[in-house]
Amino acid sequence: NEPEIGDVAINPRCVLYLHEYHRIITSAFFHLSIMHIAMNSLSTLGVGVKLERKMGTLHFMFTIAWGVILTSVI
């Protein structure tokens, strides 16, 4: 049973008033189609490999996690 987009997408009302804080994270990883996943993966691969080598794996992972949270909150 796959979750519906309305259950995981960022929705300020649900986050602020219903305290569904999981949406801050899940909205960044839920994709509507295989093409959407493929395009996101390819763009991340193109830039991510070079950045990870330059920054180091741990710092790169922290940057990705921070970016996911900030993107959703903003």
Side-chain angles (χ1 to χ4, degrees), residues 38-55:
M39 295 306 288
N40 283 0
S41 297
L42 285 173
S43 64
T44 302
L45 180 66
V47 174
V49 171
K50 291 179 183 178
L51 278 176
E52 184 183 7
R53 285 186 190 144
K54 189 169 189 161
M55 299 169 74

Side-chain angles (χ1 to χ4, degrees), residues 7 19 22 30 38 40 45:
D7 297 331
H19 308 290
H22 67 277
F30 192 83
N40 283 0
L45 180 66

Side-chain angles (χ1 to χ4, degrees), residues 2-63:
E2 292 184 27
E4 302 227 359
I5 189 74
D7 297 331
V8 294
I10 194 72
N11 181 331
R13 184 184 70 77
C14 291
V15 173
L16 295 173
Y17 301 115
L18 302 177
H19 308 290
E20 295 179 0
Y21 301 115
H22 67 277
R23 291 175 179 269
I24 293 170
I25 303 297
T26 58
S27 63
F29 295 102
F30 192 83
H31 295 80
L32 295 176
S33 68
I34 194 72
M35 185 62 136
H36 187 184
I37 294 170
M39 295 306 288
N40 283 0
S41 297
L42 285 173
S43 64
T44 302
L45 180 66
V47 174
V49 171
K50 291 179 183 178
L51 278 176
E52 184 183 7
R53 285 186 190 144
K54 189 169 189 161
M55 299 169 74
T57 301
L58 190 59
H59 191 230
F60 183 67
M61 285 174 38
F62 177 75
T63 302

